[in-house]
Amino acid sequence: MYIVAIAWLYVVFMMSVTEQSAIAGVATFLLYGIIPLTVVLYLMGTPQRKRNRQNMKKLTAARKEDREDDSSMKREPRIDEEEPRSH
């Protein structure tokens, strides 16, 4: 997906270099290259963002469930958690 975007930017860059003025070149690069490309890449990345969001929800639910399971079990105190004994 990114190789097509890079190729398109190269084509638009070459188009903007051949413009008559610098302002026209910048406008060509922005209007034919950067702005449409950002929209297309954003739209093409939507399914991946949705999958990432669902995975994060699953991970947080699993972590919450693990924490509830851990807190429900009584555990032995660790050695460093015990109160110091006086001699």
Side-chain angles (χ1 to χ4, degrees), residues 4 16 27 29-31 39 41 44 48-49 65 72 76 79 84 86:
V4 175
S16 65
F29 191 71
L30 288 176
L31 295 176
V39 171
L41 290 177
M44 290 179 74
Q48 182 63 42
R49 284 192 307 276
E65 184 177 304
S72 67
E76 295 291 323
I79 294 173
S86 59

Side-chain angles (χ1 to χ4, degrees), residues 10 21 37 58 78:
Y10 175 76
S21 69
L37 196 60
K58 287 179 186 177
R78 291 177 22 194

Side-chain angles (χ1 to χ4, degrees), residues 40-79:
V40 168
L41 290 177
Y42 178 78
L43 292 176
M44 290 179 74
T46 300
Q48 182 63 42
R49 284 192 307 276
K50 184 178 179 182
R51 284 190 297 271
N52 290 346
R53 194 175 325 115
Q54 290 172 348
N55 287 339
M56 286 300 294
K57 285 182 183 178
K58 287 179 186 177
L59 284 174
T60 54
R63 287 180 183 162
K64 183 178 179 182
E65 184 177 304
D66 287 345
R67 260 189 259 127
E68 289 173 356
D69 290 343
D70 290 344
S71 65
S72 67
M73 295 190 307
K74 185 164 176 76
R75 63 180 181 90
E76 295 291 323
R78 291 177 22 194
I79 294 173

Side-chain angles (χ1 to χ4, degrees), residues 14-27:
M14 289 297 146
M15 287 172 45
S16 65
V17 168
T18 60
E19 290 291 337
Q20 298 294 325
S21 69
I23 295 173
V26 170

